[in-house]
Amino acid sequence: MKQSVKMIVGNWKMNGLTADLGEARALTESLSDAPASCRVALCPAATLVAQMAWALKGQGVEIGGQDCHAEPKGAFTGSISAAMLVDAGARLVILGHSERRQGLGETDSLVAAKFETAVAAGLEPIVCVGETLTQRETGQAVPLVTAQVLGSLPDAAASHAFAVAYEPVWAIGTGLTPTVAQIAEVHEAIRSALVQRLGPAGTRVPILYGGSVTPANAGEILQVAEVGGALVGGASLKAASFLAIVRAAEPARVAADAQG
Ligand code: PEP
């Protein structure tokens, strides 16, 4: 299913100090001159969520967290709860990013538990899935990603707004990207898994692509069937490059590019 309104989400990861809020402000200044006709969001580090939400309030850019705890509250030193993100002004939350799955051992079932806690607090999760290079080279990309989608969503997911982000681990921060055919193959498999898991609600879930998206490749990637937007790391840190990706996602531009 083609999404008519694309979703472009910036993931600042462990980057960004107060001084860098100027980049977020520069983004909204450009968008106030020519409002985006797609959904735009930024997910800064937890320390900047409240400040960024305040600075960009009412300016068409949604704010998200990069993770939340699976429990709604309690003795979890150093963790952030879903309600804390909402309280700070976030509307979205990235869950199961490969940097957490690989570096911190997060499993599909933990991601599904975080999903339940996040939606109960009013957040819209972006559930990340993706294969490693070895998994791709051994023909496991589609079955692995399908299993991650099926395992990372709770039974109640059909009643909630959320997105899935396909992020091949080998494409994140490397400058490498899958071919358009590889992206299409995995996105179609994710769509099938969503319909299998959620029924008709699975046809409406946006499936984002993430992994070395830049202004140079965004136009081509965003017109692939079933690509409903992009999750952008490095290129989201500067207003100019993130804005160029946002512009590439606007319906008129996507339609024009598709016609060649
Ligand atoms: C990410 O971390 O979600 C990501 C896609 O990073 P990058 O765009 O830098 O590859």
Side-chain angles (χ1 to χ4, degrees), residues 40-181:
V40 183
L42 282 174
C43 300
T47 50
L48 285 184
V49 168
Q51 288 185 81
M52 191 182 280
W54 181 252
L56 306 192
K57 198 174 170 86
Q59 296 182 62
V61 174
E62 298 170 67
I63 307 299
Q66 298 176 9
D67 177 52
C68 68
H69 201 278
E71 293 294 332
K73 64 179 184 174
F76 302 105
T77 302
S79 295
I80 304 282
S81 77
M84 289 170 185
L85 287 175
V86 173
D87 187 48
R91 191 172 140 41
L92 302 157
V93 64
I94 297 170
L95 296 178
H97 192 283
S98 63
E99 287 153 11
R100 298 191 65 86
R101 288 181 186 264
Q102 293 209 312
L104 299 167
E106 292 202 356
T107 59
D108 291 344
S109 57
L110 179 63
V111 175
K114 290 185 175 196
F115 185 117
E116 289 193 299
T117 309
V119 295
L123 291 169
E124 185 175 330
I126 300 168
V127 176
C128 300
V129 294
E131 81 285 0
T132 62
L133 189 55
T134 309
Q135 288 162 338
R136 172 154 289 279
E137 287 174 345
T138 53
Q140 296 173 70
V142 165
L144 184 282
V145 167
T146 299
Q148 283 182 325
V149 171
L150 296 175
S152 300
L153 301 179
D155 292 340
S159 335
H160 299 282
F162 72 98
V164 170
Y166 168 52
E167 298 205 303
V169 177
W170 52 274
I172 295 179
T174 59
L176 303 172
T177 49
T179 63
V180 161

Side-chain angles (χ1 to χ4, degrees), residues 12 16-30 42 48 52 55-56 237-240:
W12 276 20
L17 302 174
T18 306
D20 299 300
L21 289 172
E23 293 296 331
R25 284 197 200 90
L27 174 70
T28 53
E29 273 160 29
S30 299
L42 282 174
L48 285 184
M52 191 182 280
L56 306 192
L237 294 172
K238 294 290 174 200

Side-chain angles (χ1 to χ4, degrees), residues 205-224:
V205 176
I207 307 171
L208 316 185
Y209 168 78
S212 295
V213 176
T214 65
N217 62 23
E220 184 181 35
I221 291 171
L222 288 165
Q223 50 172 297
V224 175

